[in-house]
Amino acid sequence: MSEKERSFMFLESYRDGIEGLRELGDEEAAIALAWELFRYGVYGKRKDTLKNPIAEAFIRSVCPLIDKSVQNGEERLAQIQANDEYYRHSAELQTKDDEDADWS
């Protein structure tokens, strides 16, 4: 896949927005909204404007939340990787110290 994928949390409020459109009787808009939420969450871009104004307003309101979710996830992953590197390096130093120690 040539496009960079992102990781995002699919919040219950997103599902509620989709279900709300279904309850209004607009199944097509609900499906379109679901696809746009996933597309934006994974790829960070929208395909086009949704035909239903409620769906369009909903996705415009949650795009900043999705961006923040992705940013927080990336920062947390970087923190975990940095911690792993620190502990790996510490373990290597400890092993070297153990090898150099005089245990007699």
Side-chain angles (χ1 to χ4, degrees), residues 47-84:
K47 183 176 181 181
D48 54 14
T49 302
L50 296 170
K51 294 175 186 172
N52 182 299
I54 296 171
E56 183 63 30
F58 182 83
I59 195 156
R60 285 181 184 214
S61 70
V62 299
C63 282
L65 300 174
I66 293 172
D67 290 337
K68 187 65 176 172
S69 170
V70 169
Q71 180 185 358
N72 288 343
E74 289 172 352
E75 288 172 0
R76 181 67 182 128
L77 180 60
Q79 183 182 31
I80 289 169
Q81 290 171 338
N83 287 343
D84 286 349

Side-chain angles (χ1 to χ4, degrees), residues 13-35:
S13 60
Y14 306 163
R15 183 187 58 85
D16 291 344
I18 295 166
E19 286 298 315
L21 287 172
R22 292 183 75 203
E23 290 171 6
L24 290 172
D26 198 343
E27 186 76 22
E28 186 179 317
I31 292 168
L33 176 60
W35 278 114

